[in-house]
């Protein structure tokens, strides 16, 4: 099969690899229909973080179940032919974390997830972790298929930021970050009932998409100027803040733009951790968030919201590529020519 591998910073390649095989209980082989490039992939693509040369890439996909390992005689959650979202998480559905709604922190699976930018995937904890989509891919439009892909990570992660920040009806929300996760955070805040959503973005195409998704205001400034603009719009600050970047500046800004008692939902992959927690203490600011509970969020709200056309997160894909064009897909995101790159596999 064809699969994407990382060669060195700035260079990806397609290699012929053995098709994955089942090697333990509760696994499935998925034939990938669509995959994508994530903003977090750019950190090692740019050489900011390390990734082993020759290692597989990608962690967002939808596809068809081709083969399932027998896990018990009465397990019927997934079977060959099912159309599924393939989360980057692998929740077992049975441990304390999964039962509490935090399957992104599943206690039975801590090995991470990669290799989705390929023709086939072996998926762990398949019986509970995979999310079935009604029907078959051919039943849906391209736009709908694109939205399903976002439910493997970015839409669930943006929504996780909103849930972590305890967004509720009528809230004023600030979203820090205009990548695909931040834009999906706007959708998540809107879905949970926020009435005022302030998106921080310096790029016109992303600003327009944020407005399409439900943002009411745009702030292009950064640092102290941005904080001052939030206060001008809100008075005391936002009820909830979604931090979708992960940089030190983004986290510090998130704390400063919340009103006393606000909660920050942090989902940006951390680049550094030097936060002065005294700033939280003296204003009663809450800080929550982490790895998204993809399966939980998809089943509870997001899949139905896509199926009913209540949300259209697939609009974050602004360029489309075939698998053989994966280098161009990464370059498009690295050079900000694409908000998010879609890979059409079959």
């Amino acid at each position: 099969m064809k699969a994407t591998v990382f060669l060195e910073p700035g260079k990806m390649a397609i290699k012929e690899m053995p098709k994955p095989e089942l090697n333990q209980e509760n696994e499935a082989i998925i034939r990938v229909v669509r995959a994508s490039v994530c903003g977090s992939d750019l950190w090692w693509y740019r050489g900011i973080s390390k990734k082993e040369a020759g290692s597989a890439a990608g962690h967002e996909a939808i596809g068809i179940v081709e083969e399932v390992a027998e896990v018990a005689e009465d397990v019927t959650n997934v079977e060959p032919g099912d159309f599924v979202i393939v989360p980057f998480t692998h929740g077992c559905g049975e441990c304390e974390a999964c039962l509490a709604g935090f399957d992104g922190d599943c206690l039975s699976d801590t090995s991470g997830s990669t290799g989705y930018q390929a023709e086939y995937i072996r998926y762990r904890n398949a019986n509970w972790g995979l999310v079935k989509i009604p029907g078959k891919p051919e039943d849906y439009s391209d736009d709908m298929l694109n939205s399903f892909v976002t439910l493997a990570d970015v839409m669930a992660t943006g929504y996780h930021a909103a849930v972590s920040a305890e967004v509720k009806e009528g809230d004023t929300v600030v979203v820090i970050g205009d990548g695909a996760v931040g834009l999906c955070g706007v959708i998540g805040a809107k879905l949970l009932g926020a009435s005022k959503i302030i998106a921080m973005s310096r790029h016109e195409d992303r600003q327009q998409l944020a407005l399409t998704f439900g943002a009411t205001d745009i702030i292009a400034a950064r640092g102290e100027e941005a904080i001052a603009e939030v206060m001008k719009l809100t008075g005391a600050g936002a009820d909830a803040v979604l931090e979708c970047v992960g940089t030190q500046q983004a986290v510090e800004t998130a704390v400063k733009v919340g009103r006393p008692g606000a909660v920050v939902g942090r989902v940006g992959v951390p680049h550094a951790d030097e936060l002065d927690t005294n700033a939280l203490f003296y204003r009663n600011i809450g800080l929550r968030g982490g790895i998204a509970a993809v399966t939980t969020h998809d089943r509870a709200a997001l899949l139905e919201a896509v199926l009913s056309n209540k949300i259209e997160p697939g609009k974050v894909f602004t360029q489309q590529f075939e698998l053989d064009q994966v280098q161009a897909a990464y370059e498009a995101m690295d050079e900000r020519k694409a908000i998010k790159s879609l890979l059409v596999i079959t």
Side-chain angles (χ1 to χ4, degrees):
M1 71 165 188
K2 293 180 178 179
T4 301
V5 296
F6 169 73
L7 298 182
E8 61 184 44
K11 188 174 292 186
M12 309 297 295
I14 297 296
K15 299 287 187 181
E16 282 293 333
M17 307 283 284
K19 181 181 173 182
E21 297 179 352
L22 300 173
N23 59 20
Q24 63 183 33
E25 291 184 341
N26 204 357
E27 289 185 335
I29 303 300
I30 312 295
R31 176 175 61 81
V32 179
V33 173
R34 296 188 179 199
S36 57
V37 180
C38 181
S40 62
D41 295 332
L42 296 181
W43 293 108
W44 43 261
Y45 177 80
R46 290 169 172 165
I48 297 172
S49 60
K50 292 184 179 181
K51 187 176 180 68
E52 185 178 350
S55 55
H59 56 263
E60 303 168 303
I62 57 174
I64 302 295
V65 176
E66 186 167 278
E67 186 180 358
V68 178
E70 184 178 352
V71 293
E73 290 183 0
D74 58 350
V75 171
T76 58
N77 186 53
V78 291
E79 60 184 21
D82 284 345
F83 182 29
V84 293
I85 298 161
V86 190
F88 78 94
T89 52
H90 297 261
C92 69
E94 299 177 354
C95 70
E96 290 89 342
C98 288
L99 293 173
F102 293 93
D103 55 270
D105 298 289
C106 178
L107 300 177
S108 75
D109 192 285
T110 59
S111 55
S113 181
T114 191
Y116 288 21
Q117 294 164 3
E119 292 180 313
Y120 293 91
I121 302 166
R122 181 173 62 232
Y123 184 84
R124 305 180 302 277
N125 282 340
N127 188 63
W128 190 84
L130 293 169
V131 180
K132 289 197 292 187
I133 303 169
K136 304 296 180 185
E138 52 268 28
D139 299 332
Y140 298 99
S141 67
D142 283 344
D143 289 344
M144 187 74 80
L145 292 174
N146 294 352
S147 287
F148 291 147
V149 177
T150 70
L151 301 190
D153 181 356
V154 288
M155 184 60 238
T157 297
Y159 184 74
H160 189 66
V163 170
S164 297
E166 302 176 10
V167 175
K168 60 185 182 301
E169 196 77 28
D171 272 357
T172 293
V173 178
V174 171
V175 180
I176 300 174
D178 63 359
V181 171
L183 292 167
C184 288
V186 172
I187 296 175
K190 182 73 173 178
L191 198 58
L192 291 173
S195 60
K196 190 177 189 66
I197 303 173
I198 303 167
M200 290 189 167
S201 172
R202 299 188 301 167
H203 305 90
E204 185 176 354
D205 58 337
R206 296 162 191 249
Q207 293 172 356
Q208 291 304 315
L209 194 51
L211 293 169
T212 298
F213 284 161
T216 56
D217 300 89
I218 302 291
I219 291 178
R222 283 191 179 182
E224 294 302 320
E225 184 180 353
I227 295 165
E229 290 193 30
V230 170
M231 294 305 167
K232 185 176 180 180
L233 286 170
T234 63
D239 301 303
V241 185
L242 280 52
E243 192 284 298
C244 304
V245 181
T247 62
Q248 192 70 24
Q249 182 185 50
V251 176
E252 291 175 354
T253 299
V255 172
K256 292 177 180 178
V257 297
R259 61 158 171 77
V263 179
V264 175
R266 182 184 184 185
V267 297
V269 178
H271 304 160
D273 190 5
E274 300 173 1
L275 179 65
D276 179 5
T277 57
N278 289 342
L280 302 174
F281 177 86
Y282 286 112
R283 295 177 55 243
N284 277 280
I285 300 291
L287 179 63
R288 295 192 58 192
I291 301 168
V294 179
T295 300
T296 295
H297 293 326
D298 284 356
R299 289 184 179 156
L302 299 180
L303 178 57
E304 179 55 35
V306 169
L307 289 170
S308 63
N309 293 305
K310 191 172 184 179
I311 63 174
E312 297 180 272
K315 289 182 178 180
V316 297
F317 291 110
T318 55
Q319 288 200 38
Q320 176 176 309
F321 303 86
E322 295 179 1
L323 185 58
D324 287 335
Q325 299 171 310
V326 71
Q327 175 68 29
Y330 273 81
E331 289 175 355
M333 286 185 64
D334 180 44
E335 298 167 7
R336 289 190 174 272
K337 294 177 181 177
I339 295 176
K340 189 167 179 65
S341 293
L342 178 73
L343 296 171
V344 178
I345 313 297
T346 58

